[in-house]
Amino acid sequence: MHPAPSVIVFTTLSGLGFGLLFFLGLGLPEVTGWVAFVIYAIAYALSVGGLMASTFHLGRPERAWNALTQWKSSWLSREGWCAVIALIIMGLYAIGAIFFGQRWGVLGLLGALFSLATVFTTSMIYTQLRTIPRWNMALTPVMFLSFGLAGGAVLAGQAGLAIPLLAIAASVQILYWWRGDSALERSGTNLGTATGLGQRGSVRAFEPPHTGTNYLLREFVHVVGRKHVAKLRVISFALAFFVPVALLLLPFSHFFGLLAVLSHLAGVAVSRWLFFAQAEHVVGLYYGKR
Amino acid sequence: MTQLPQSTDRKMGLVIDLDTCVGCHACVISCKGWNTENYGAPLSDQDAYGADPSGTFLNRVHSYEVQPAEGHAQLIHFPKSCLHCEDAPCVTVCPTGASYKRVEDGIVLVNESDCIGCGLCAWSCPYGARELDQAEGVMKKCTLCVDRIYNENLPEVDRVPSCVRTCPAGARHFGDLGDPDSDVSKLVAERDGMDLMPEMGTKPVNKYLPPRPKDQIEDQIDILAPLLAPVAEEPGGFIGWLDKTLEKF
C-alpha cells in the first residue's frame, strides 16, 4: 500500500491523543486548573490534529461529514462517530476539570471508553480488508489498542503503568511482524486463484494493461523501500519501546518524560510507515508485482 | 444504503470468454469512450500526451502466460472490470452511502455527489475494479453501462454494455446470471464458467470461461511424411559444386 503521510500522521497522532484522553478520563493523572488546560490542549491537538490530517487524503474533503451516515455497516463511519462522541464527552469533562476544579467521574469513564473505542474502530477499518492479508488479522486491533494505551500512559506521565504497557505493546509488535510476514502466503491467494488459471499450470504476468502507471499501481503496489525493512524495524522498535522504557526507569524528570514521548512518537510513526508500505494488496497479483 | 440487499431480482453481469479474447483492447477504448461522456464525471487523463501519462479506466486487459507441466506455454488475454459481486465489500465499507448495489438488477454503482473520495472501497476490492478519478476526486467504476442497457432511445441491438457491443471476437456476453435459463447462464454451465479469487468470499456475478484445451501436436504432423524421400544432408549437383567452390575462397 502507498504509505500516504496523511494516514500515517492520522493513525499515529490520533492513537496517541485518544490514548491520553483514555487515561485522563480515568483520572490518571487527576489534574485541575491550568495544568489540566495544558494537558487537555495537548490531547486535543493530537487527536483532532490526527483527524484533520486524515481528511487530507480525501478526494472531496468538503463532503467529509457524509462519512457519519453509514454507521450501521461501515467501520470508517463508526470511527467518525466514536471520535466525535469521545471528543464531546471529554470536552465537557475537561471543562469541569479546568474551570470548576471538579472531576465528573461518570463522564470521564464514558469518555475513556469512547476514546478507546475510537482507536479500536480505526484499527477495524484496516482489519476488515480481506484484500490485504497482512491487515486482515486479529492482531491488528490488538496492536492499535496496545500502542494507544502504551503511548497514552507515557504521555500521561504514568510511569508505573507505561513500562508494563510498553512491554506488552513491544511483544504485540514483534508478534504482528512475525505473523504478518507470512499472511499473504497463508491467505492462499495467488496469481493462480486471481486469474482462475492456476489449475492449468504456472501463471506469469506477461503484459500489463497499459505501458504507463495508474491509480491502482500507485495506491496498492508500493514496493519502494522494502529492502530497508529489517533496519527500519530495529529503528522503530528501539525508538518506540526500548528508549522510552529506559528513560522512564531513570529518576523522574520532565525532560526525560518529554524525550520518552518524542521517541515513542517517532518509533510508532516508523512502525506505521511499515504497516502501510509492507501491506500487500492482492490486486498487485494481477500486475505480477507480488 | 451501504448495507447490501438480501437478494436482487436479477443478477445482470458479464461472461468473458478467455478462449475467444484476442487481446485487442477494443473493449477498453469503447468503455472509456462511452463512459467519459455519459454517466457521471468524465474519465480524466493526466499528462495524456506527456512523458508520464495515466488515466481512469473502468476496464483493463491484462495478458498472462500459462505454462502447463507438459506442452507449450499458452498466452491468455484477460479483460478485467467490476464483477458486480453479490457480497460486494466495496459497498459495505463505504462510510457515506455513495456506494450501493441495486435491488432490481444487482448493478453496483457510485452516487458521485455523495462520494468523499476516501478510497476505502477501492482498498476493499480484490479485483482493482475501482479507480479514484484524479480530476474529479470521486470513485469511478463500471456501471454495466446502466445508461445504455435500459435506454429506449438506442436501437435494441445497442442496449448492451459498450464493451460487449464492441468486442469484435464475441468474447463478451451480457445477461441475467440469476436466471438459470438465460443464454449467459447456459454458457457458464456448458463451459464451466469460473469465479475470480473465490476465496475472498465476494461471490462475483461476472463469470470467466476458461480457455478450451489446445489441440495436441502429434509426433507426425503430415501423414504423407513417411512416403516422402528424406532430404539429402549433403548438397549435390550444381549446389554441391557451388558450395565446394565457394569454400575454397
Side-chain angles (χ1 to χ4, degrees):
Chain A
M1 299 295 288
H2 170 61
S6 60
V7 279
I8 294 170
V9 168
F10 156 56
T11 59
T12 307
L13 294 189
S14 74
L16 199 60
F18 284 107
L20 176 57
L21 286 175
F22 171 77
F23 285 100
L24 290 174
L26 295 182
L28 300 166
E30 220 168 294
V31 282
T32 51
W34 275 107
V35 184
F37 178 78
V38 171
I39 198 160
Y40 277 105
I42 294 171
Y44 272 78
L46 289 170
S47 49
V48 178
L51 290 170
M52 298 277 278
S54 74
T55 62
F56 292 155
H57 85 283
L58 298 182
R60 289 288 188 147
E62 75 278 10
R63 300 176 185 161
W65 290 109
N66 285 356
L68 292 175
T69 59
Q70 303 301 314
W71 51 273
K72 279 186 187 168
S73 50
S74 165
W75 281 105
L76 181 50
S77 197
R78 288 170 197 160
E79 185 218 25
W81 274 108
C82 284
V84 169
I85 293 172
L87 290 173
I88 290 173
I89 294 178
M90 288 306 290
L92 294 174
Y93 180 73
I95 287 170
I98 296 167
F99 297 107
F100 302 105
Q102 299 277 325
R103 187 174 170 260
W104 297 328
V106 180
L107 215 53
L109 192 66
L110 262 178
L113 280 177
F114 273 101
S115 299
L116 213 55
T118 307
V119 178
F120 174 71
T121 46
T122 302
S123 72
M124 285 309 290
I125 296 172
Y126 304 108
T127 309
Q128 66 178 336
L129 299 170
R130 294 179 79 171
T131 49
I132 303 162
R134 195 185 280 270
W135 293 353
N136 190 226
M137 302 194 290
L139 270 173
T140 306
V142 176
M143 182 173 73
F144 273 68
L145 284 170
S146 66
F147 277 39
L149 287 174
V154 175
L155 207 52
Q158 305 295 307
L161 282 169
I163 294 170
L165 284 172
L166 281 168
I168 292 170
S171 326
V172 172
Q173 173 71 92
I174 288 178
L175 207 59
Y176 178 82
W177 281 334
W178 176 57
R179 294 298 286 168
D181 284 344
S182 60
L184 180 61
E185 207 180 324
R186 278 184 287 122
S187 77
T189 298
N190 52 46
L191 188 50
T193 66
T195 58
L197 301 169
Q199 303 284 324
R200 316 169 71 86
S202 66
V203 187
R204 185 170 75 94
F206 185 80
E207 204 175 25
H210 290 75
T211 51
T213 186
N214 62 34
Y215 167 75
L216 302 170
L217 289 168
R218 284 190 298 264
E219 186 79 359
F220 302 120
V221 194
H222 180 85
V223 289
V224 185
R226 287 213 187 135
K227 60 180 175 177
H228 296 306
V229 162
K231 277 182 215 163
L232 286 170
R233 281 181 176 179
V234 171
I235 291 169
S236 158
F237 194 81
L239 287 176
F241 308 115
F242 194 78
V243 174
V245 168
L247 287 168
L248 291 175
L249 284 172
L250 293 171
F252 176 78
S253 92
H254 278 291
F255 179 66
F256 286 156
L258 179 68
L259 273 188
V261 168
L262 292 177
S263 172
H264 179 73
L265 189 65
V268 172
V270 176
S271 166
R272 284 291 143 79
W273 187 88
L274 286 168
F275 179 76
F276 287 98
Q278 279 204 288
E280 306 100 334
H281 195 293
V282 294
V283 80
L285 292 167
Y286 286 109
Y287 289 86
K289 292 281 173 67
R290 287 288 172 250
Chain B
M1 275 302 259
T2 59
Q3 284 166 299
L4 284 163
Q6 288 290 320
S7 65
T8 57
D9 300 341
R10 289 183 299 157
K11 297 177 189 172
M12 302 312 285
L14 300 174
V15 172
I16 294 170
D17 191 342
L18 297 178
D19 192 65
T20 316
C21 176
V22 295
C24 70
H25 292 241
C27 54
V28 178
I29 303 306
S30 78
C31 167
K32 178 121 178 171
W34 177 266
N35 286 294
T36 202
E37 55 190 28
N38 288 285
Y39 182 98
L43 303 172
S44 72
D45 291 316
Q46 280 70 43
D47 197 19
Y49 303 101
D52 188 22
S54 75
T56 310
F57 285 77
L58 311 182
N59 179 26
R60 294 179 184 267
V61 179
H62 297 251
S63 296
Y64 298 103
E65 179 195 77
V66 179
Q67 176 64 63
E70 278 175 35
H72 298 291
Q74 194 178 352
L75 188 62
I76 293 161
H77 303 293
F78 198 94
K80 189 161 58 60
S81 53
C82 174
L83 289 91
H84 297 278
C85 304
E86 286 182 55
D87 270 347
C90 54
V91 170
T92 50
V93 298
C94 177
T96 68
S99 197
Y100 63 104
K101 186 170 176 69
R102 306 206 320 173
V103 179
E104 61 268 40
D105 51 18
I107 299 179
V108 177
L109 289 176
V110 175
N111 178 352
E112 290 176 9
S113 57
D114 279 351
C115 176
I116 60 172
C118 70
L120 193 56
C121 55
W123 291 22
S124 76
C125 173
Y127 310 109
R130 286 170 171 249
E131 301 191 11
L132 190 73
D133 189 83
Q134 300 301 298
E136 198 68 17
V138 297
M139 198 53 73
K140 300 295 295 184
K141 70 175 293 303
C142 162
T143 67
L144 215 58
C145 284
V146 70
D147 48 359
R148 284 177 71 100
I149 57 178
Y150 303 117
N151 191 340
E152 294 187 355
N153 295 319
L154 295 176
E156 201 171 340
V157 69
D158 286 334
R159 289 180 213 157
V160 292
S162 182
C163 55
V164 174
R165 185 74 181 98
T166 298
C167 181
R172 305 179 71 98
H173 308 270
F174 167 70
D176 180 6
L177 287 141
D179 171 10
D181 296 324
S182 68
D183 287 348
V184 281
S185 294
K186 286 182 197 159
L187 196 56
V188 169
E190 192 182 310
R191 296 273 309 277
D192 287 329
M194 59 188 183
D195 289 346
L196 306 185
M197 287 195 210
E199 70 277 12
M200 286 280 157
T202 53
K203 293 199 262 169
V205 169
N206 284 14
K207 304 288 178 205
Y208 283 76
L209 305 180
R212 295 181 176 92
K214 286 272 183 194
D215 286 344
Q216 293 299 306
I217 297 173
E218 303 296 331
D219 291 341
Q220 289 295 355
I221 297 174
D222 186 344
I223 53 163
L224 296 176
L227 304 175
L228 295 170
V231 177
E233 294 294 319
E234 288 292 319
F238 173 71
I239 297 293
W241 171 81
L242 195 65
D243 186 44
K244 277 181 206 149
T245 314
L246 287 171
E247 282 289 322
K248 284 178 187 161
F249 288 100

